[in-house]
Structures are given as C-alpha cells and as structure tokens.
C-alpha cells in the first residue's frame, strides 16, 4: 500500500506541479454522540448546535508553504453560537509544509484570545480503503487526538479522507501530514466535509494569525482546566 501511494503521489505531483495555491470550502456536521445526545442536561443544547452546524462553512487557504483554516463570516444566531462552542469554531489554525510547528489562534468568549505556538506530529495509519469525494479519489487514514479540559484528559478517534491527486499535506482543524490534501475529517462527533474546491496556478499570500496573548500549549491547558466544558 505504501509503495502504491508513493507511486500515485509521484505521478499526481507531476500532473499538478503548476498548482501553487487553493481554497477548500468545508461544511460542518455534528453527528450523534452517546454522552451528549443522551444527557438530559445537554441533549437539547446539542440538538440546537447540530442545527447550527448546518449553517456554518469553513475555508482552508493554502499555498506551497503554509495553510490557514478558519470559519467563514456569517451572521450569528443562538444555534450557530452553540455549534461554534462545541467545535471551537472561532479558532484559526496555521500550519507549515513538512513541519510539526503550528499556530492556533483561540477566540472564545469563555476565556479570551490567545496565540498558541505548538509542535505536534500526527501519527497517521493509512488504510486500504477508498471513496470518491466529488470526482476526487480519496484514501482513508486514522489517528487519535487528546483533549484536555476541566474534567480531565481524554482521547478520541480521528478519521481522514485524503486526496493524493491534490498533493498538499494540509487539512481542516490543524490536521496535516498525509500525502494528499484532506477533503473530509471526522474528530469524535464533528465532521468537516469539502463542498467546494478551487485550485490556482497563482501563489496567494497567507498571513500568520497574530491576535491574542501568546502562551504555550501547556499554559493554555492549565487555563481551560478551570473553565466549564460540555
């Protein structure tokens, strides 16, 4: 499988060598969650968030060097606000090609604005499963994520569908490191699915996030441990 992917990546990289930047628009889906959907305290709130998620879209901007993922501007209502609260929808994620260094801009009414410079290597497992997203053949990969909040530290599964024929190693929500751009990503109950794909032969300039107090990931983890969570 690895040899096949390397061969496919080589041929598609040559074919798309002139692509210098692009924009991918993603829709948001909040699926079933056993804990939240069956909890009397949160089930009605989570249902409203699920409705709000249908109204939200995100864009991944990328060029040959960096990517930036953020929510699209929209007039906010209560359901949209809840959807963003459950998913960190106001955050901005900035990654660099072939680097573990990342930047996350946190923007929350709960604990303010922060810039987090962090390093994260994602250990993907590429599986022998494929599907088409639009006209793009995608391959499945899995990993897991660790979440730290006021209730403790938890691990959740992550599934990505990446497209070798778009030879950039970026994806939604700060996920990267696969031999092709991620067109669909599921983390716990949250799914980002590509709705629109624009590729360009021109190189777009992408600026680093810079709004907020700069802290380390460890310092931020201590801050959010004191905040309520769903």
């Amino acid at each position: 499988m690895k040899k096949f992917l390397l061969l496919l990546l080589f041929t598609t990289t040559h074919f798309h060598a002139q692509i210098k930047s692009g924009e991918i628009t993603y829709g948001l889906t909040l699926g079933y969650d056993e804990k939240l959907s069956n909890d009397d305290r949160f089930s009605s709130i989570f249902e409203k968030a699920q409705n709000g998620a249908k109204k939200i879209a995100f864009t991944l901007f990328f060029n040959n060097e960096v990517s930036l993922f953020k929510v699209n501007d929209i007039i906010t209502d209560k359901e949209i606000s809840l959807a963003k609260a459950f998913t960190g929808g106001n955050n901005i994620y900035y990654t660099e090609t072939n680097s573990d260094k990342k930047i996350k801009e946190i923007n929350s009414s709960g604990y303010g604005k922060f810039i987090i410079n962090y390093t994260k290597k994602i250990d993907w497992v590429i599986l022998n499963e494929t599907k088409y997203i639009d006209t793009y053949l995608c391959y499945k990969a899995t990993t897991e994520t660790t979440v730290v909040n006021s209730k403790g530290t938890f691990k959740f599964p992550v599934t990505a569908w990446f497209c070798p024929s778009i030879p950039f190693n970026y994806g939604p929500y700060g996920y990267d490191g696969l031999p092709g751009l991620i067109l669909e990503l599921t983390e716990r109950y949250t799914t980002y699915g590509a709705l629109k794909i624009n590729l360009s032969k021109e190189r777009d300039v992408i600026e680093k996030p810079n709004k907020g107090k700069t802290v380390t990931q460890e310092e931020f983890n201590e801050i959010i441990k004191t905040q309520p969570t769903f």
Side-chain angles (χ1 to χ4, degrees), residues 124 158-161 172-173 175 182-187 190-192:
W124 292 104
V158 178
T159 299
W161 292 92
Y173 211 61
Y175 283 92
I182 299 172
L183 295 184
E184 183 178 298
L185 178 87
T186 300
E187 181 191 82
T190 304
T191 297
Y192 303 89

Side-chain angles (χ1 to χ4, degrees), residues 5 7 13 57 61-62 76 85 130 136 138-139 147-148 168-169 183 202 208 215-216 228 230:
L5 284 175
L7 177 61
T13 299
F61 303 90
F62 63 90
T76 300
T130 63
Y136 293 91
C138 296
Y139 292 79
V147 175
V148 179
F168 296 84
N169 67 345
L183 295 184
E202 302 295 326
K208 287 185 179 181
V215 297
T216 64
F230 294 111

